[in-house]
Amino acid sequence: MNTRNSMPISAARLALRWALAAMVVIVLVLAGTILANRTLFSPQHQVQALQQLLAQGEGAKALGLMQAKVPAGDAVALNGEVLKRTQAGITDFTTDEAQPVEGEDQLRTVTAHYKADGVQKESSYTLRHDGKSWLLFDKWVFEPSTLPTVSIKANTVNEVTVNEQKIPLAAGVSTLPVFYPSILDASFSTKNFAADTRGMVVTKPAKEPVEIALQTKPTKEFIAAINAKVKSYLDKCVSEQVLMPAGCPFSYTTSARVNPATIDWSIAKYPTIEVNYYNGAWVLSPLTTSATLTLTEQDLRTGAKEKKTVKDEYSFTAKLTTSTTEVSVRPVAGGEQVAG
């Protein structure tokens, strides 16, 4: 009797165990589904995925994920190595929990925090609920948007360097659509002109382009080239044994007779070169030089001869014609433009 009674009891216990195991599995599946829905299928996970694509230089995939419109401009910073360089300084990227948008049940805002070259910044993203995947997991998509743009301006040159990439300029301007966040570093350097690096961190879309205006400065080589040309011009002037060298700022008048062989001009002090950008062109500030003249004068009435030394300051101007590699200096003395 005991053996026969124990068989249905064992079967019942086995069935109970299977039922408990099934319940545990169901609970674990539900817990896993909830956890996955809050992490892998959350709005903030989409933002993290976007940032990973940007860091990898996968611009096409990032655009598809964002559903973003690309404004007109040079798209060089939207893919590949240049895109990677715009992200190189973005570190410690984290996201807050998604927050509901007031009055919009299907929208959520995700705020990301990060460092841009060590400086704490943040960006916000808006995503919309787009149904379920496999009837279990939420689908979140970015709200369609337009990428921000950066306007880079520089005078004198026809191209600049942005994140190690040469960018052509049209009338001194180039417009670049960019993702956000992005770090852009712009500069240029030529034989005659250069601009120190200027950085810009783009953290959000904007209706108007953010601007990087590069301040062009003449190089030491440029100033040295002008100085050499002005010096050569003055040296040629003082080599003439006349009282008024042609096309030169120097002159001396006297009522006495002068033997040309005794005329000797020399430069006591060469001008200081100062170049400024004015009204769309580089101009040379007025120049002042100091010259010494020695000569022997003979009095026309008595015939007496006297050796004189005269030192004076003389002013003149010069016109510049410049490019990134060449410079022409044309002195103007007494209203006369001299070839230089």
Side-chain angles (χ1 to χ4, degrees), residues 243-315:
L243 296 181
M244 294 183 181
C248 298
F250 313 134
S251 65
Y252 177 73
T253 57
T254 179
S255 59
R257 178 179 295 159
V258 177
N259 181 355
T262 67
I263 297 174
D264 185 18
W265 288 97
S266 63
I267 301 296
K269 183 180 180 181
Y270 288 98
T272 299
I273 304 301
E274 183 179 339
V275 180
N276 296 288
Y277 194 76
Y278 176 74
N279 200 26
W282 289 98
V283 295
L284 193 57
S285 296
L287 302 165
T288 300
T289 184
S290 179
T292 301
L293 170 65
T294 60
L295 76 166
T296 299
E297 294 183 342
Q298 184 179 25
D299 189 288
L300 294 176
R301 185 173 61 84
T302 65
K305 295 181 179 181
E306 179 185 4
K307 186 175 182 179
K308 283 190 173 182
T309 299
V310 180
K311 184 177 180 180
D312 205 349
E313 287 190 346
Y314 303 91
S315 296

Side-chain angles (χ1 to χ4, degrees), residues 117 293 317-318:
D117 286 340
L293 170 65
T317 60

Side-chain angles (χ1 to χ4, degrees), residues 222 226 229-230 273-276 281-285 318-322 327-330:
F222 181 66
I226 296 174
K229 292 178 182 293
V230 170
I273 304 301
E274 183 179 339
V275 180
N276 296 288
W282 289 98
V283 295
L284 193 57
S285 296
K319 294 184 178 180
L320 296 181
T321 303
T322 65
V327 57
S328 171
V329 181
R330 295 184 176 273

